[in-house]
Amino acid sequence: MNQFYKNYVYGLFYASFDGTIYSFNRKEEWVKLVPSYIVFFEKYKRVLMNVTNYQLAVFLEKYNTRNAMEQILSKLEFVSARQSLNEFKQILLSHGHSVCFYCMKPLKQTHVDHFIPWSYMQNDVLWNFVLACPSCNTSKNNRMAKVDYLYALVERNEELRVAEQMGTYKETKLIYLYEYAVQNGFEANWAPRA
Ligand SMILES: [Zn+2]
């Protein structure tokens, strides 16, 4: 835990919200969100992020030159760096995945698709990755696939459960995140062209 946060941030926020949002322990170095707030943050993630980024941009504008401020909003939107997806591709290939998750055609060129768009999750986890052909991957882009594909992914993840990279995966987590991403305005019902 970063010393600065430890000394100032956790206690201050905690007091401002009368301890209703999270609990924490400086000595043992943990912070625990109240479950209903996890739901709240996931449900309204996009709105909350947009408001925060807007205020941050207004703040940064005061202290930075025009050059440094160029495209500041797009810089703020993607704060976490994307990892290389090759590791995930290799794991899925090693589990025998050889057709496009969406159109089921055999893969000649293999793309790794974030089932729930990266711009919503901003977190690279195996259970959110599928192998796709370039055409499906490009056409799906930032959209949400039709619900049939959610069920297919739940099944796929059940088979993958043995992989250690599945981390703290839970079926319900995937289903909730799918719903929340749609509620956050990601275009829904994408399906590959027949
Ligand atoms: Zn495809």
Side-chain angles (χ1 to χ4, degrees):
M1 205 188 280
N2 180 300
Q3 200 58 37
F4 178 81
Y5 286 104
K6 202 168 154 179
N7 290 347
Y8 303 105
V9 182
Y10 293 118
L12 273 180
F13 271 124
Y14 184 80
S16 322
F17 295 98
D18 295 327
T20 49
I21 298 184
Y22 61 87
S23 49
F24 70 104
N25 186 318
R26 283 203 180 93
K27 230 182 194 165
E28 293 170 18
E29 305 205 330
W30 55 256
V31 176
K32 199 173 162 197
L33 269 175
V34 170
S36 57
Y37 275 96
I38 299 180
V39 171
F40 172 78
F41 287 127
E42 279 168 351
K43 252 184 168 165
Y44 302 104
K45 185 173 176 179
R46 228 183 187 189
V47 175
L48 292 168
M49 257 178 64
N50 288 348
V51 172
T52 313
N53 284 349
Y54 173 80
Q55 295 299 342
L56 188 53
V58 170
F59 170 80
L60 289 172
E61 229 175 39
K62 280 189 273 190
Y63 303 101
N64 285 280
T65 62
R66 185 182 289 211
N67 276 350
M69 287 302 291
E70 212 175 293
Q71 296 184 318
I72 187 71
L73 284 170
S74 47
K75 281 179 202 160
L76 286 177
E77 191 160 354
F78 300 109
V79 279
S80 49
R82 290 179 74 148
Q83 284 175 253
S84 154
L85 302 184
N86 193 44
E87 180 202 341
F88 300 103
K89 188 201 269 191
Q90 296 313 324
I91 297 169
L92 294 174
L93 287 172
S94 76
H95 280 84
H97 296 228
S98 58
V99 297
C100 171
F101 180 76
Y102 301 107
C103 70
M104 311 284 282
K105 286 182 193 143
L107 290 164
K108 285 176 205 142
Q109 249 189 304
T110 309
H111 283 198
V112 182
D113 175 62
H114 289 82
F115 182 77
I116 295 172
W118 188 82
S119 52
Y120 178 73
M121 294 257 299
Q122 300 211 13
N123 189 10
D124 289 329
V125 284
L126 182 61
W127 52 263
N128 191 42
F129 284 120
V130 296
L131 298 182
C133 69
S135 141
C136 284
N137 187 235
T138 313
S139 130
K140 177 173 171 279
N141 191 21
N142 222 12
R143 299 180 180 86
M144 298 294 298
K146 238 161 97 159
V147 75
D148 308 43
Y149 294 104
L150 171 65
Y151 301 139
L153 184 59
V154 165
E155 255 175 60
R156 194 289 309 264
N157 282 339
E158 209 44 57
E159 286 161 27
L160 264 188
R161 215 170 244 292
V162 283
E164 52 176 317
Q165 296 87 349
M166 289 295 275
T168 56
Y169 170 73
K170 274 195 204 107
E171 186 181 311
T172 46
K173 184 148 118 188
L174 171 61
I175 294 170
Y176 282 136
L177 285 173
Y178 179 90
E179 285 168 8
Y180 295 153
V182 173
Q183 285 174 25
N184 271 269
F186 284 86
E187 198 182 316
N189 274 319
W190 175 88
R193 269 162 274 176

